[in-house]
Amino acid sequence: MKFIAANELKPRFQNALNPILIDMSQPGQPPLAEAQWVDFNQIVRNEGDRAGLLPDNDNFNQALMHTGITPDSTVFIFDDCQGLAASRLAWSLALCGLEEIYLIDGGREALLAEGWPLATAATAHKPASELAYDFSEHHCNAQTIAEQLGKPDGWIIVDARSEEEYRGTDRRSRNAGHIPGAIHFDWQWFFDPEKPGFLLPDDIIRARLQEKGIPAHPEEKAKTLVVYCQSHRRSSLMFCVFKHLGFEDVRGYPGAWSDWGNRDELPIEI
């Protein structure tokens, strides 16, 4: 999984095996050439106070049926919301075993600035193959996280929310605070303040991670990295950045704090 510049898309797309371009932008945007639009609301599920859960496998496949995705597709994804929607789909596809996934740095705006054309006709694809979730990697839940808490060789947990959410002053669930031992790293710290929506260079991102006590290179600590936010949207982007940097064992928590923070039996740190 990699973030690529908009000017890299055309040559990669032309040379890829079964290339699929997916637009996760908000509804109503003019379609881009070759792109298949996917509705973000169809790739997540909400249940009461818990948000950002995985839809069941059948509904997830239904949302992607028109795209032509198969398990061996090379998938390119962009959006118009700083990569948040694109990253959530990228994480979900990784959960289904897809390996060739690319996110467009700067998203839709960057593609248009690079001259990517608008669509003149609908892009037709054969129906997609059925994808199946594999929870053995890329995934965790409240139980598997709780089992690791306090272990000297346990997972490294990274909280992608704002500082106020992390400290508990911004309450978005019944209980406020953070998972015990979680390290705070605001997802927006990945971005260039001078170029909204574009990631900072890899070396600067690594330096920022290191400043917060988070491994900056995969070889530093062979530990599992767990990322979470309020509903696993911001932390999906964090998942994709860690994979882009070469980390192998990174796990996302669907439901995230909307799950943990609404369960009174789980420990919370403030």
Side-chain angles (χ1 to χ4, degrees):
M1 185 179 296
K2 283 285 184 182
F3 285 85
I4 60 171
N7 62 7
E8 297 179 67
L9 175 58
K10 186 176 181 179
R12 286 180 181 267
F13 190 82
Q14 291 175 335
N15 295 317
L17 174 67
N18 188 19
I20 304 292
L21 179 61
I22 293 184
D23 182 357
M24 294 293 296
S25 300
Q26 298 174 74
Q29 299 278 17
L32 270 61
E34 302 290 345
Q36 299 280 357
W37 183 71
V38 172
D39 185 352
F40 175 80
N41 293 316
Q42 299 302 309
I43 65 162
V44 295
R45 176 176 60 88
N46 300 329
E47 186 178 285
D49 293 330
R50 300 161 70 219
L53 303 171
L54 279 164
D56 66 46
N57 229 148
D58 288 343
N59 286 338
F60 182 69
N61 277 295
Q62 185 68 31
L64 298 177
M65 182 179 295
H66 65 287
T67 66
I69 286 180
T70 63
D72 64 351
S73 290
T74 302
V75 184
F76 303 87
I77 318 174
F78 67 92
D79 64 24
D80 59 356
C81 51
Q82 289 190 272
L84 292 174
S87 295
R88 176 61 195 239
L89 177 60
W91 172 76
S92 301
L93 293 175
L95 201 62
C96 295
L98 275 76
E99 296 181 355
E100 293 295 318
I101 303 171
Y102 297 92
L103 297 102
I104 311 304
D105 190 23
R108 181 187 182 87
E109 181 181 338
L111 285 175
L112 290 172
E114 191 60 34
W116 193 272
L118 296 176
T120 56
T123 301
H125 281 289
K126 295 178 181 178
S129 298
E130 186 170 329
L131 304 177
Y133 298 139
D134 176 3
F135 297 115
S136 64
E137 55 183 347
H138 308 314
H139 177 273
C140 60
N141 56 32
Q143 180 181 347
T144 53
I145 293 173
E147 289 170 353
Q148 294 290 323
L149 297 182
K151 290 184 177 181
D153 58 346
W155 293 349
I156 297 172
I157 305 171
V158 186
D159 187 320
R161 300 175 298 163
S162 69
E163 185 173 356
E164 292 76 17
E165 290 171 272
Y166 177 80
R167 292 184 178 277
T169 57
D170 181 354
R171 181 187 299 271
R172 302 192 182 186
S173 295
R174 186 166 63 248
N175 300 303
H178 56 268
I179 296 174
I183 303 170
H184 178 240
F185 192 95
D186 191 319
W187 71 285
Q188 296 189 75
W189 295 343
F190 288 129
F191 290 97
D192 186 341
E194 303 298 322
K195 296 172 61 181
F198 289 81
L199 294 175
L200 289 162
D202 292 357
D203 58 342
I204 297 178
I205 290 176
R206 292 187 195 276
R208 288 192 169 189
L209 291 169
Q210 208 159 30
E211 286 173 6
K212 298 297 180 180
I214 302 168
H217 297 273
E219 61 272 13
E220 285 181 21
K221 292 184 180 179
K223 284 189 175 183
T224 298
L225 288 170
V226 168
V227 295
Y228 78 95
C229 58
Q230 179 67 22
S231 63
H232 193 38
R233 193 176 180 191
R234 292 170 285 179
S235 53
S236 286
L237 186 132
M238 180 171 279
F239 170 90
C240 293
V241 172
F242 276 126
K243 297 298 285 185
H244 169 80
L245 294 176
F247 287 86
E248 290 293 328
D249 194 0
V250 189
R251 296 172 183 260
Y253 175 13
W257 192 257
S258 73
D259 177 53
W260 192 285
N262 283 307
R263 295 172 60 172
D264 296 329
E265 78 277 12
L266 295 172
I268 291 174
E269 195 167 79
I270 298 178

